Structures are given as C-alpha cells and as structure tokens.
C-alpha cells in the first residue's frame, strides 16, 4: 500500500548561522534578535564543520553577527524575544545527522536511531515523499496507524525543516490542500468546504501500476467526528515552512491562499454563539475520543488563535483577502480578551470563584457564566501553587473544566495568547507540580485523570481511556517538542532539558511508544503502538531546538501589543 524507504538524500547545503549557543551555554544567553528579513535559500554556500563550531564565551555580554544577537542574562536562563519576523534558511542541516553535533557538543546515541526510524516512516506518492505514517506497527491490527495524519505529521515536518529538507513539507502541504477540495459527505450530510482531512493514505494498484490518495474527513474515525484542528495545523505548518525557507512563493500561490480562506471562513462564520471561542464536539482534536472536552476546549481555542495570527502574516492584501483579514483581526482581539479573562486561573482567581455569587443577571454580573462554587473539584485546592497558573480546559454556561491540558497551554505560550506574565506562571506551575505533570515520562496530556463514576459518565466507560491511561492522564512523549519550545520562549530551557533527559532513559529502550500509563508515566501504555512516529519526531525537534534555539522562530509568535488585556491575573495580589 505504501512506498516506504529509509533512503533519503543526505546531500544538502549548510545554513549560515554565525552565532550559536552550545548546550552548556544555552542557559546563559539571551536570544534577543535574529534575522529581520527573508533570506532566500542558498543551496551552494557551505561551511566547514570548524566554521560552524563557534564558541560563545560567558564573558561576552553581547555578540552581534549578521543581525543575530545573543544577550546573556544570568547563569541559569536566557530569553528569546523579538522573533516574529525571523526567517531561517534551511541550508544548514542539524548536527543530529552526524555522531557529533555541528556546534561541538556530543549528541545522545539515540538521535541517530531516531532519524533512521523516522525516515523509514516516510510515505511516497508517485516517487515523492508526502508525509510519515503514524506508526511503524508490525501488528496485524493496524487500524489507521498506517495513514498520514495532519496533526501527527507536524513534528515530523518540523524535524525535516530543521534538518534542511523542506521539499517533504512542501509536498505534504500541497497534497493535503488538494484533498481539501474533495467533496466531503458523511451519511448524506455535506461537510464544510474548508474542512481539512484528518488523515490520508496512498493506495497502490499493482495491476494498473497506479497510485491514488484516499482521505478520511471523519467518516471512518471512531465517533465519526471531523477534525477541527487539521486546518489550524495546516496554516501553522505553512507559516513554519515560510519562516524556515524564506520562500513565500508557496503561501502566495492562489490555491494556498484559497485554502486558507476556506478554513478561516468556516471558523469565522456567524451564528448563534455569543462567545468568540469556537464551539466544538468531543473527539475533534488530539483527544479524539469522548473525554468531556466538548464545548470550547483549550486545545482548539489556542490552535485557533495561533492559526489566525499566522494567517495575518500569510494572507495577501488583495480584494479577496482584505475583508477576511479585517474579520481575523477583530476576532483575535475578542478571542484574546475572552481567553485571558475567563480561561485563566491562578490562586487569586480560584479564590474569587470560591466566593462567587450565583444567579446574577445583567451586564454587571461578576459570575458571568453562573458557575456554582460547589462545583469546584477538591483536587484543585492542593494542585494550585502559590505562584503559578494556567488556562483551564473549558469554559461555558455553568461549566468550568479545571483540568490542565498540556498542548493548549504550550500553544498559548507559543502563540502569545498567554501574556508574558501568564507564560511565566504556566512555567512556574510546571516546576511546582513536576511529579504530577512530568513524573517519570514527559508529558501528561491532561491532569488529573477521570476516575470511577465520573469516568463512567464522561467517557462512556471507554476501556481505552481508563484512569491514567491514553488521553485520560496518560503521558505522551510527542509533547516534548511543545514543552521545549515553550521553555525556550520563556527563558527556562533547564526545564526542557530535565524533561528530555528523563525521556532519554526509556524511549529508545521501550521502542518509542505512543504513550505511557500510570500517575508517573511509569508503564508503557496498555494499547500503545511501538515506533510511534510523532514520539520519535517530537524527541528530535526538542533536541534540535535546544541545540539551536533560533529554530523556535518557526513555531513562536511575539505578543501583539494591541491585544493587551484590560485585566491581568497574578499570583501575587493584595486586597
């Protein structure tokens, strides 16, 4: 069915990077400004290993070379700022293709194994690589793990971009865009024109010697739910490709512009909703089974926010795009205020909710969603640290889901949905609740797990989402790349390094599982696939970001000062 191959060309040019931080120095330097203008691919310029092994002395306060600046803060941290306009040329491949990294420090032995396995997961369509399958699973019951998932391919795409192999990502973006234009029907019901597929597979006809693509828009998924997140990930990845290569011609293609407009028009359509957040069904994202996240889940809202911001950078100011850009800008302002005001919780806000009055009417109401204080779960009083906070899982009428969700909070940091103060508070929470959120295998997809009667009611007695398993409090190695990116953006790389070192003690030995079970992530998931591609790619992306923090510019956006909230939450407060 698939044309799989581990043989991908290793020839490539070397990206100019005149200033590099070593692993030991990363905690000491401040990455304050990178390249300001797009730079086209230079496929001929190459630099020797010696030229790339540039050391930075801790005695230097600032070193500027070709507009790349690293400002040292102290011995434990650096801050990455002002990177929203940074563009990277992928000519330089990461040092992780070799036994020794290009900036001079020894790489972990499992890196080479990870690259080899990732390349074996490549899927080819008519001779060109177009993605990676979900898992290299040799079991008879493959389910849909032999398909290319849009969300699953994102860390693989980032790994290839960081390694100077943008063509794979370009092929993927164009092929999924082609699938978007297909007629989409489920049980005689027509889906929105802008819906992107959850996954696709390559069908090979050996008799006719032809290959065709077959997409799944939710009609084959468990629960028959269309993916809301696929379109957002597609836009985010298109921006990452543009930033990495300095090539805006792909995003400017008429078909790409139309694809973005279709996605955005679907999400920005007017209806009965009074909130700027996006109403979603259970199972429409990474958590693709019933887990009580229907309504306004944090993962979708954060991805929605980031996709809107990326679209502002990618859409043309032409007749078709101008009106849409205005709608995007208005929605962003409303969405940022809503999320920062009502989804954010810290010690002060928790105390406010604890003292809420109910049945308030009119626009002067403080308890706008009529949340009953007795609905506060017992666990949150011990979980909430004195310094720290996070975006809760869901907010709606008489409903606040106080669970912590990793992906949504990390994307909130990367997209600058979270203010700098909120981003710092999220990192404080992770450090304060290390055992609960990281444990022995990073990272908990959500916390805490649903148990007993609550599990029965909310999950429908789902045997896969039992307590501390799979999406119900399981630990997912793929989230390493998101955690690492958030740590670098907030100047806390030591958190990411600690998490990666934990993962390195087991991931290769355990054959790259999809997820881990248990309160601490101690056990390989009971139904976890081995050689899960995004577990492999997530690890590689995390390692490459720590080696070269400039890669962060592909997946991070600086705060838009115009979206400053009217109110701010802080763990330190007075009467």
């Amino acid at each position: 069915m698939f044309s799989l191959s581990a043989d991908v060309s290793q020839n490539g040019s070397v990206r100019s990077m005149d200033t590099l931080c070593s692993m030991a120095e990363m905690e000491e330097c401040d990455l304050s400004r990178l390249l300001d203008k797009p730079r086209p691919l230079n496929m001929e310029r190459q630099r020797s290993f010696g030229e790339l092994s540039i050391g930075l002395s801790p005695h230097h306060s600032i070193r500027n070379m070709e507009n790349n600046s690293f400002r040292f803060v102290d011995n434990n941290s650096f801050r990455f700022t002002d990177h929203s306009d940074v563009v990277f040329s992928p000519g330089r491949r990461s040092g992780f293709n070799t036994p020794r990294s290009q900036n001079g420090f020894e790489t972990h032995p499992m890196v080479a194994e990870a690259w080899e396995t990732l390349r074996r997961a490549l899927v080819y369509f008519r001779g060109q690589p177009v993605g990676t399958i979900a898992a290299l699973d040799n079991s008879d019951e493959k389910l849909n793990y032999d398909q290319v998932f849009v969300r699953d391919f994102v860390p693989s795409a980032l790994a290839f971009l960081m390694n100077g192999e943008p063509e794979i990502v370009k092929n993927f973006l164009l092929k999924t865009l082609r699938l978007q234009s297909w007629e989409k029907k489920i049980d005689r019901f027509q889906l929105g024109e802008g819906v992107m597929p959850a996954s696709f597979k390559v069908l090979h006809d050996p008799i006719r010697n032809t290959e065709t693509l077959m997409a799944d828009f939710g009609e084959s998924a468990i629960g028959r739910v269309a993916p809301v997140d696929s379109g957002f990930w597609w836009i985010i990845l298109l921006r990452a490709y543009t930033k990495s290569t300095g090539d805006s011609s792909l995003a400017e293609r008429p078909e790409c512009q139309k694809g973005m407009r279709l996605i955005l028009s679907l999400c920005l359509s007017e209806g009965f909703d009074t909130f700027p957040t996006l109403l979603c069904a259970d199972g429409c994202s990474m958590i693709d089974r019933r887990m009580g996240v229907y309504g306004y889940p944090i993962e979708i809202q954060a991805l929605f926010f980031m996709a809107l911001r990326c679209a502002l950078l990618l859409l043309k100011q032409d007749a078709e795009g101008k009106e849409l850009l205005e709608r995007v800008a208005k929605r962003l302002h409303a969405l940022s205020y809503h999320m920062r005001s009502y989804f954010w919780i810290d010690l002060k806000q928790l105390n406010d909710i604890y003292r809420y009055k109910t049945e308030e009417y009119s626009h002067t109401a403080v308890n706008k969603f009529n949340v009953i204080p007795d609905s506060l779960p017992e666990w949150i009083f011990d979980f909430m640290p004195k310094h720290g906070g996070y975006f809760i899982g869901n907010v709606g009428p008489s409903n606040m889901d106080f669970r912590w969700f990793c992906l949504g909070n990390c994307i909130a940091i990367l997209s600058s949905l979270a203010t700098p103060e909120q981003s710092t508070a999220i990192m404080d929470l992770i450090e304060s609740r290390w055992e609960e959120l990281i444990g022995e295998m990073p990272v908990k997809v959500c916390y805490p797990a649903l148990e007993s009667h609550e599990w029965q009611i909310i999950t429908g007695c789902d045997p896969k989402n039992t307590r501390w398993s799979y999406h119900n409090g399981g630990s997912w190695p793929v989230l390493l790349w998101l955690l690492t990116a958030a740590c670098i953006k907030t100047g806390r790389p030591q958190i990411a390094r600690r998490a990666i070192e934990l993962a390195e003690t087991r991931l290769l030995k355990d054959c790259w599982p999809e997820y881990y079970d248990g309160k601490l992530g101690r056990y390989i998931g009971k139904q976890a696939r081995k050689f899960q591609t995004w577990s492999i790619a997530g690890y590689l992306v995390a390692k490459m970001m720590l080696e070269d923090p400039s890669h962060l510019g592909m997946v991070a956006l600086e705060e838009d000062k115009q979206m400053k909230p009217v109110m701010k939450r802080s763990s330190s407060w007075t009467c």
Side-chain angles (χ1 to χ4, degrees):
M1 184 178 296
F2 289 97
S3 174
L4 299 178
S5 172
D7 183 18
V8 175
S9 173
Q10 298 297 312
N11 296 323
S13 63
V14 180
R15 177 165 63 85
S16 173
M17 184 67 186
D18 294 70
T19 310
L20 293 173
C21 288
S22 70
M23 281 283 285
E25 292 159 340
M26 280 178 55
E27 294 180 358
E28 299 177 348
C29 65
D30 179 358
L31 200 59
S32 61
R33 185 177 295 276
L34 299 173
L35 303 178
D36 291 327
K37 297 180 180 180
R39 188 168 60 186
L41 293 177
N42 184 350
M43 302 307 291
E44 296 182 359
R45 181 183 181 188
Q46 299 203 9
R47 305 185 69 185
S48 68
F49 181 90
E51 288 178 282
L52 286 169
S53 300
I54 300 174
L56 289 179
S57 168
H59 300 296
H60 293 151
S61 59
I62 297 178
R63 179 174 181 174
N64 279 299
M65 299 183 71
E66 294 187 4
N67 293 328
N68 294 336
S69 301
F70 294 82
R71 177 160 21 96
F72 297 101
V73 179
D74 52 44
N75 291 329
N76 296 312
S77 66
F78 67 91
R79 186 166 295 280
F80 180 82
T81 60
D82 199 20
H83 52 67
S84 58
D85 295 326
V86 178
V87 181
F88 307 104
S89 169
R92 170 184 170 267
R93 293 180 183 274
S94 167
F96 292 118
N97 258 349
T98 63
R100 186 175 178 85
S101 162
Q102 305 233 25
N103 70 359
F105 72 89
E106 295 291 342
T107 64
H108 197 280
M110 66 190 273
V111 169
E113 293 269 359
W115 270 114
E116 181 181 348
T117 309
L118 180 61
R119 295 191 187 283
R120 285 195 289 117
L122 280 168
V123 173
Y124 288 80
F125 178 67
R126 298 176 184 175
Q128 292 185 323
V130 293
T132 50
I133 57 174
L136 289 166
D137 193 337
N138 295 320
S139 66
D140 293 332
E141 189 183 9
K142 295 187 186 304
L143 297 177
N144 54 3
Y145 285 84
D146 62 350
Q147 298 188 26
V148 180
F149 280 80
V150 173
R151 76 175 68 95
D152 289 42
F153 181 66
V154 170
S156 294
L158 295 176
F160 287 123
L161 286 174
M162 292 176 186
N163 204 46
E165 302 176 61
E167 283 303 311
I168 303 170
V169 183
K170 182 178 181 179
N171 294 338
F172 170 84
L173 289 167
L174 290 175
K175 289 297 179 290
T176 47
L177 187 63
R178 176 186 168 192
L179 296 173
Q180 183 198 37
S181 64
W182 285 15
E183 184 180 48
K184 301 175 276 286
K185 279 188 176 181
I186 298 180
D187 291 338
R188 303 181 184 180
F189 182 73
Q190 186 78 35
L191 272 69
E193 192 178 0
V195 174
M196 279 285 188
S199 63
F200 67 87
K201 66 193 308 181
V202 178
L203 298 178
H204 178 67
D205 186 339
I207 298 176
R208 298 181 180 179
N209 194 28
T210 59
E211 288 181 335
T212 57
L213 295 176
M214 185 177 73
D216 176 15
F217 292 92
E219 67 270 27
S220 300
I222 295 174
R224 300 299 189 267
V225 177
V228 176
D229 62 340
S230 289
F232 299 151
W233 280 123
W234 189 89
I235 293 174
I236 292 166
L237 187 56
L238 178 61
R239 182 213 172 242
Y241 172 88
T242 304
K243 284 293 180 182
S244 174
T245 62
D247 176 18
S248 61
S249 62
L250 176 62
E252 291 173 352
R253 287 191 183 188
E255 61 266 37
C256 286
Q257 291 288 309
K258 180 181 178 182
M260 281 189 285
R261 289 198 300 268
L262 288 175
I263 294 169
L264 296 172
S265 295
L266 186 65
C267 301
L268 297 173
S269 59
E270 297 173 348
F272 290 98
D273 213 327
T274 58
F275 311 139
T277 41
L278 199 61
L279 184 62
C280 304
D282 239 338
C284 66
S285 60
M286 176 184 174
I287 298 177
D288 57 4
R289 300 167 77 95
R290 180 176 166 187
M291 267 289 289
V293 297
Y294 53 85
Y296 308 92
I298 179 60
E299 176 178 336
I300 291 298
Q301 311 315 318
L303 286 171
F304 182 32
F305 183 88
M306 188 166 191
L308 290 177
R309 291 205 63 194
C310 289
L312 281 180
L313 302 170
L314 298 171
L315 282 171
K316 289 183 177 180
Q317 289 271 7
D318 55 19
E320 293 180 289
K322 188 175 181 181
E323 185 270 338
L324 186 60
L325 284 169
E326 291 176 356
R327 291 171 62 194
V328 169
K330 289 180 180 178
R331 188 63 166 264
L332 277 169
H333 281 275
L335 185 60
S336 63
Y337 174 82
H338 184 92
M339 296 296 295
R340 292 169 178 177
S341 301
Y342 305 126
F343 274 69
W344 180 256
I345 191 166
D346 53 21
L347 189 58
K348 179 187 183 305
Q349 179 67 354
L350 178 59
N351 196 75
D352 289 345
I353 297 171
Y354 182 71
R355 292 165 50 84
Y356 265 169
K357 295 178 181 179
T358 59
E359 306 301 325
E360 292 183 295
Y361 183 77
S362 86
H363 63 278
T364 60
V366 175
N367 185 3
K368 295 183 179 181
F369 298 96
N370 197 37
V371 174
I372 311 301
D374 287 345
S375 68
L376 283 165
E378 287 294 327
W379 61 266
I380 196 171
F381 295 100
D382 292 329
F383 180 73
M384 182 61 68
K386 183 177 180 180
H387 299 287
Y390 64 101
F391 289 97
I392 63 175
N394 219 317
V395 174
S398 296
N399 172 49
M400 295 186 81
D401 182 350
F402 292 96
R403 284 177 293 176
W404 148 272
F405 289 88
C406 178
L407 194 153
N409 276 273
C410 287
I411 291 292
I413 291 174
L414 296 177
S415 65
S416 288
L417 171 59
T419 65
E421 295 85 359
Q422 289 172 336
S423 296
T424 297
I426 293 171
M427 287 293 122
D428 289 343
L429 176 83
I430 292 173
E431 284 197 301
S432 299
R433 297 294 176 255
W434 185 265
E435 288 298 305
E436 292 91 336
L437 303 179
I438 308 297
E440 295 184 17
M441 176 54 66
V443 181
K444 278 273 179 280
V445 65
C446 71
Y447 180 89
L450 302 171
E451 302 185 61
S452 305
H453 185 65
E454 188 180 30
W455 165 79
Q456 293 176 335
I457 298 298
I458 293 179
T459 74
C461 299
D462 188 348
K464 196 167 186 177
N465 273 331
T466 52
R467 64 175 186 172
W468 307 114
S469 179
Y470 202 48
H471 297 135
N472 189 15
S475 298
W476 291 69
V478 63
L479 297 173
L480 271 173
W481 83 263
L482 284 158
L483 176 65
T484 300
C487 289
I488 294 173
K489 188 169 188 283
T490 54
R492 312 275 274 274
Q494 68 277 6
I495 299 177
R497 183 175 301 110
R498 184 182 173 192
I500 291 171
E501 287 172 354
L502 274 175
E504 286 176 337
T505 64
R506 295 189 58 189
L507 272 181
L508 179 60
K509 180 177 64 176
D510 294 340
C511 300
W512 307 99
E514 179 184 15
Y515 64 95
Y516 286 78
D517 286 352
K519 273 192 173 183
L520 298 177
R522 182 171 293 173
Y523 308 101
I524 297 175
K526 58 186 175 184
Q527 295 187 44
R529 291 300 195 274
K530 299 292 185 71
F531 298 102
Q532 185 80 15
T533 305
W534 70 353
S535 295
I536 298 164
Y539 166 74
L540 287 172
V541 171
K543 291 287 283 187
M544 283 189 279
M545 279 191 181
L546 278 183
E547 180 203 16
D548 182 356
S550 69
H551 288 312
L552 179 64
M554 278 191 268
V555 293
L557 295 162
E558 277 304 297
E559 185 180 24
D560 186 340
K561 303 300 183 183
Q562 295 181 350
M563 289 189 287
K564 279 284 188 182
V566 175
M567 55 186 288
K568 286 186 181 180
R569 299 294 184 190
S570 174
S571 293
S572 300
W573 51 281
T574 58
C575 296

